[in-house]
């Protein structure tokens, strides 16, 4: 019996959704081992800068975990997600506090884990809406399921933005300190982590008072959490 047009459209829609879901899982699985040559946020920056003068020059150099100072990993954990090794992608306590602050009219606080930020940086786009947040949650679940924690940190450090056109800890270390990421000191790693909330606004070199205060706070947190942070 011939199916009606609505039934066929529904069947095609379901097939398309299942194909997209399966494809996304395959891509996440592949990036467990493959270097990430470019992220969605890098593409977004390049598109936004089209026609600018001077032209945007993006700097990005993938380096494996073994060539990244553990100070850099410790700094981003201290700054962005101190429960990184405890949660499975979502910090529900931080999310609850963020919702409570929003309801009370307080300044919005960030509640995204490093895993969520990897999901967003690699596959999605900027902005806030429920559809994007749902996709972020989908990718975060599979990243946490398919990747070990060390791999999540490796990808995050290689894809985070540290300034206009500066992507990844290796490019940032060379641009701001003239050295490879493997040689970053604690103070230098903390300076990089200090600009992560708004890397197009805050400066690593000649930073303002806020970044200096945040760097000092991150250094204190690094010292506090280092003994219990399983970095190899």
């Amino acid at each position: 019996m011939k199916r009606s047009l609505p039934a066929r459209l529904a069947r095609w829609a379901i097939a398309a959704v299942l194909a997209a879901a399966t494809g996304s899982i395959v891509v996440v699985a592949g990036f467990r081992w493959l270097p990430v040559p470019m992220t969605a946020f890098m593409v977004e920056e390049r598109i936004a800068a089209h026609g600018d003068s001077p032209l945007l020059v993006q700097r990005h150099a993938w380096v494996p975990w073994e060539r990244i100072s553990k100070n850099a990993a410790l700094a981003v954990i201290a700054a962005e997600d101190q429960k990184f090794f405890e949660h499975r992608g979502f910090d529900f306590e931080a999310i609850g506090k963020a919702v409570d602050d929003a309801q009370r009219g307080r300044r919005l606080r960030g509640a995204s884990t490093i895993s969520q930020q990897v999901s967003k940086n690699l596959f999605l786009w900027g902005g806030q809406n429920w559809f994007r947040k749902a996709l972020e949650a989908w990718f975060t679940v599979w990243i946490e399921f398919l990747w070990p924690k060390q791999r999540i940190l490796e990808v995050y450090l290689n894809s985070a933005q540290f300034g206009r056109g500066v992507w990844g800890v290796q490019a940032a270390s060379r641009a701001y300190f003239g050295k490879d990421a493997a040689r970053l000191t604690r103070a230098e790693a903390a300076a990089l982590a200090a600009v992560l909330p708004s890397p197009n606004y805050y400066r690593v070199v000649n930073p303002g008072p806020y970044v200096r205060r945040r760097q000092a706070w991150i250094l204190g947190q690094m010292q506090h959490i280092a003994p219990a942070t399983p970095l190899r």
Side-chain angles (χ1 to χ4, degrees):
M1 185 173 65
K2 190 174 181 180
R3 293 178 181 270
S4 66
L5 179 60
R8 281 182 287 164
L9 291 175
R11 185 178 181 183
W12 293 338
I14 292 171
V17 169
L18 290 175
T22 303
S24 67
I25 296 170
V26 171
V27 170
V28 171
F31 279 137
R32 172 172 176 166
W33 296 281
L34 298 173
V36 180
M38 183 170 288
T39 69
F41 268 42
M42 292 180 200
V43 174
E44 188 174 49
E45 182 191 49
R46 184 171 294 181
I47 292 171
H50 179 71
D52 284 0
S53 181
L55 293 175
L56 172 71
V57 177
Q58 286 185 324
R59 287 170 283 186
H60 177 241
W62 177 277
V63 286
W65 176 257
E66 294 75 18
R67 291 171 53 195
I68 300 174
S69 169
K70 300 308 174 284
N71 291 326
L74 186 63
V76 298
I77 291 171
E80 299 288 294
D81 186 3
Q82 294 191 13
K83 296 181 180 179
F84 175 70
F85 284 102
E86 301 172 22
H87 64 65
R88 295 301 300 171
F90 306 94
D91 185 344
F92 293 105
E93 182 180 353
I95 292 171
K97 288 179 179 178
V99 171
D100 183 62
D101 285 351
Q103 291 175 341
R104 293 171 183 268
R106 297 174 181 170
R107 183 175 66 88
L108 292 178
R109 68 165 75 199
S112 291
T113 64
I114 286 175
S115 304
Q116 287 175 274
Q117 292 181 55
V118 168
S119 167
K120 178 178 64 177
N121 291 347
L122 261 61
F123 303 114
L124 303 173
W125 59 91
Q128 295 289 341
N129 60 67
W130 288 111
F131 178 66
R132 195 198 67 78
K133 293 299 289 185
L135 288 176
E136 179 185 300
W138 167 264
F139 281 110
T140 299
V141 167
W142 286 106
I143 285 171
E144 281 279 347
F145 181 72
L146 294 170
W147 298 3
K149 289 287 189 177
Q150 180 176 298
R151 176 59 176 178
I152 297 173
L153 277 174
E154 180 184 32
V155 173
Y156 179 73
L157 287 166
N158 273 289
S159 60
Q161 185 180 14
F162 293 98
R164 186 174 187 268
V166 182
W167 296 89
V169 68
Q170 175 73 349
S173 184
R174 286 178 173 173
Y176 302 130
F177 306 117
K179 62 171 70 173
D180 287 334
R183 297 173 54 215
L184 283 169
T185 66
R186 279 200 175 190
E188 291 165 345
L192 292 178
V195 306
L196 285 173
S198 187
N200 283 319
Y201 179 76
Y202 298 123
R203 301 187 305 271
V204 175
V205 178
N206 298 321
Y210 169 81
V211 173
R212 291 187 184 278
R213 290 195 302 270
R214 183 165 170 80
Q215 179 191 18
W217 179 83
I218 292 170
L219 280 168
Q221 294 299 303
M222 291 169 70
Q223 183 174 358
H224 175 70
I225 69 173
T229 305
L231 294 173
R232 294 184 288 107

